[in-house]
Amino acid sequence: MSNGPCDTSGMADTPGPAEPSLEEQIAAYQREFQGLDPQVERVVSALSRLNRRMNVAYGRQTTELGISNAEWEVLKALVLAGDPYRLGPGDLAKRLGLTPAAMTHRIDRMVTEGLVTRERDETNRVRVIVGITEEGRDKWLDGLRMATVFEEELLQDLSGEERGQLGEMLTRLLRRVEEAQPDAGGRLSDLD
Amino acid sequence: MSNGPCDTSGMADTPGPAEPSLEEQIAAYQREFQGLDPQVERVVSALSRLNRRMNVAYGRQTTELGISNAEWEVLKALVLAGDPYRLGPGDLAKRLGLTPAAMTHRIDRMVTEGLVTRERDETNRVRVIVGITEEGRDKWLDGLRMATVFEEELLQDLSGEERGQLGEMLTRLLRRVEEAQPDAGGRLSDLD
DNA sequence: GCTTCGAAGTTTAGAGTTGAAGTCTTCAGG
DNA sequence: CCTGAAGACTTCAACTCTAAACTTCGAAGC
């Protein structure tokens, strides 16, 4: 299963200078560019690294399920859509932040893998309806269970109060950037 | 300039059900799967969405410079590496978290665009050395300046104390996931 | 009813990445 | 020396995504 952007094998990882640590990177920024607020830099860099690590973790989990992160995202969108658990390719593309063309191919794969179904709408034959199969729903649930374990582990060092503060601050940041960027914004590895 | 995973054009974005808001998504999770801690869910989802938005913003900035996020990352790695500002393709691949093959192609492009140079090491002719050009360094600096403006805007709602708390908590999370995941971890949209 | 416009999906060409295989260089033995 | 193994980079085929052209169907407008 070629696993989208989540495989970690095949990379150069023998000896030599690896990726600099967060501290090293902040120091290097200070060295090369005066006038950079280290506090801001720390928040932004940590955010970005954290996200990368989380996606690696999710990638390992979905690989274990025999699917890719990309496919799990489709399943998630269908489940979270609610009751009939069916959406058109266009809707899916919008929710996942990719082009309709990409959606077409993704659905092709997932249909052959038995994760979703594709049928034409009888009342409007231009429309296509994608539905989740039982197997698809099971995979989604398995993935979610693994994710919650990982997430609880990730946050284990934070007290309940800290978790609340963190969530509140992140939500505030998100609100700020969403109003500056009203459009849905392009793809780029979510999985939330 | 086809801009890696950062273009926002061409996506389906007309009417209809767009991406659910963070609140809607958390509610949907609660509905479909009992036993999910909403506090954890909020942190994780906000983190992920925030990162996506940030990458969209960075993508717009680098597009304005006539390069891609991917290329800017290579420039960043070279600058942050310090004094001779030169690294081998293998090192670069490790630092950016992609395969050597991808690095080869990326360097190809960047050489023809005049952003970096590629020469063979005289003392060990298996080795290749990639260096940054003056134009490359200028682009990096321009990108960094734009990024700092955006980042300051992003954090404008947080007091100095809050920024410190946020950075500290994120660093703690990062430390936790890094020790659980000692390898550098695969690609997946950084840019920090 | 026929035509035109728009919306929804699919198809096609090209960019970028991965994983595996291949090339070339260096180094350690025999 | 010559050989074999390991390392560094490149090449190749397959895959996924984007952007743009294309196809089809439905809704108006005349």
Side-chain angles (χ1 to χ4, degrees):
Chain A
M1 165 109 321
S2 117
N3 191 14
C6 301
D7 278 333
T8 58
S9 46
M11 287 193 340
D13 50 9
T14 12
E19 186 184 35
S21 73
L22 182 59
E23 309 305 328
E24 286 166 352
Q25 176 169 315
I26 293 175
Y29 263 124
Q30 291 296 314
R31 186 190 66 226
E32 298 294 334
F33 182 67
Q34 280 72 24
L36 197 58
D37 183 344
Q39 218 170 31
V40 173
E41 188 51 35
R42 168 176 300 276
V43 169
V44 171
S45 292
L47 223 40
S48 174
R49 287 181 182 226
L50 206 41
N51 216 72
R52 178 154 49 131
R53 297 291 189 156
M54 285 170 51
N55 281 326
V56 170
Y58 292 138
R60 289 181 181 164
Q61 295 174 349
T62 52
T63 298
E64 213 171 305
L65 294 178
I67 64 178
S68 68
N69 270 359
E71 290 171 334
W72 193 82
E73 283 183 74
V74 174
L75 299 176
K76 182 192 76 171
L78 286 170
V79 171
L80 294 187
D83 185 13
Y85 303 107
R86 296 141 108 8
L87 290 171
D91 274 0
L92 278 171
K94 240 176 304 177
R95 291 173 189 243
L96 301 190
L98 36 76
T99 61
M103 212 54 242
T104 294
H105 298 314
R106 202 126 128 187
I107 292 169
D108 285 347
R109 274 175 274 150
M110 294 181 72
V111 167
T112 68
E113 293 167 348
L115 298 170
V116 300
T117 59
R118 166 157 45 188
E119 13 178 327
R120 299 209 84 94
D121 186 336
E122 287 311 318
T123 69
N124 182 341
R125 290 195 318 207
V126 186
R127 272 217 169 74
V128 171
I129 299 186
V130 178
I132 191 167
T133 65
E134 198 174 335
E135 183 186 347
R137 179 147 194 139
D138 290 345
K139 296 269 187 188
W140 170 77
L141 191 53
D142 289 343
L144 183 58
R145 287 212 187 91
M146 290 194 284
T148 58
V149 171
F150 165 74
E151 289 162 5
E152 186 51 53
E153 226 168 88
L154 176 69
L155 295 185
Q156 68 182 303
D157 295 333
L158 267 56
S159 69
E161 192 189 356
E162 285 177 319
R163 294 179 188 196
Q165 288 173 359
L166 180 57
E168 190 278 324
M169 286 194 273
L170 291 176
T171 305
R172 229 189 302 163
L173 295 190
L174 185 60
R175 192 156 38 230
R176 169 64 63 185
V177 70
E178 277 177 347
E179 75 187 32
Q181 214 179 80
D183 45 358
R187 172 106 221 75
L188 285 182
S189 88
D190 44 304
L191 210 54
D192 49 355
Chain B
M1 167 109 323
S2 122
N3 191 14
C6 301
D7 279 333
T8 58
S9 48
M11 286 192 341
D13 50 11
T14 11
E19 186 185 36
S21 72
L22 182 60
E23 308 305 328
E24 287 166 351
Q25 177 169 315
I26 293 174
Y29 263 123
Q30 291 296 312
R31 187 191 64 226
E32 298 293 334
F33 182 67
Q34 280 71 24
L36 197 57
D37 182 345
Q39 219 171 28
V40 173
E41 189 51 35
R42 167 175 301 276
V43 169
V44 171
S45 292
L47 222 42
S48 174
R49 286 181 182 224
L50 205 42
N51 215 71
R52 177 153 51 133
R53 296 292 190 156
M54 287 170 51
N55 281 325
V56 170
Y58 293 137
R60 287 182 183 163
Q61 295 173 350
T62 51
T63 298
E64 212 171 305
L65 294 178
I67 63 178
S68 68
N69 270 359
E71 290 170 334
W72 193 82
E73 281 183 75
V74 174
L75 299 176
K76 182 191 76 171
L78 287 171
V79 171
L80 294 187
D83 185 12
Y85 302 109
R86 297 142 97 33
L87 290 171
D91 275 0
L92 279 170
K94 242 176 303 179
R95 291 176 189 242
L96 301 189
L98 37 76
T99 61
M103 210 55 241
T104 294
H105 298 314
R106 203 130 133 186
I107 292 168
D108 286 347
R109 273 174 274 149
M110 294 181 73
V111 167
T112 69
E113 293 167 348
L115 298 170
V116 300
T117 59
R118 165 157 44 189
E119 11 175 330
R120 299 209 84 93
D121 186 337
E122 287 312 319
T123 69
N124 181 341
R125 292 193 317 204
V126 186
R127 275 219 168 72
V128 170
I129 298 185
V130 178
I132 191 167
T133 65
E134 199 174 334
E135 183 186 348
R137 182 152 191 132
D138 290 345
K139 295 267 187 190
W140 171 75
L141 192 53
D142 288 344
L144 184 57
R145 287 212 187 90
M146 291 194 283
T148 59
V149 170
F150 164 75
E151 290 162 4
E152 186 50 55
E153 225 168 88
L154 176 69
L155 295 185
Q156 68 183 305
D157 294 332
L158 268 54
S159 70
E161 192 189 359
E162 285 177 319
R163 294 178 188 197
Q165 289 173 358
L166 180 57
E168 190 277 325
M169 285 194 275
L170 291 176
T171 305
R172 228 188 305 164
L173 295 190
L174 185 60
R175 192 158 38 231
R176 170 62 64 183
V177 70
E178 276 177 347
E179 73 187 33
Q181 214 178 81
D183 45 357
R187 171 106 221 69
L188 285 181
S189 87
D190 44 306
L191 210 55
D192 46 358

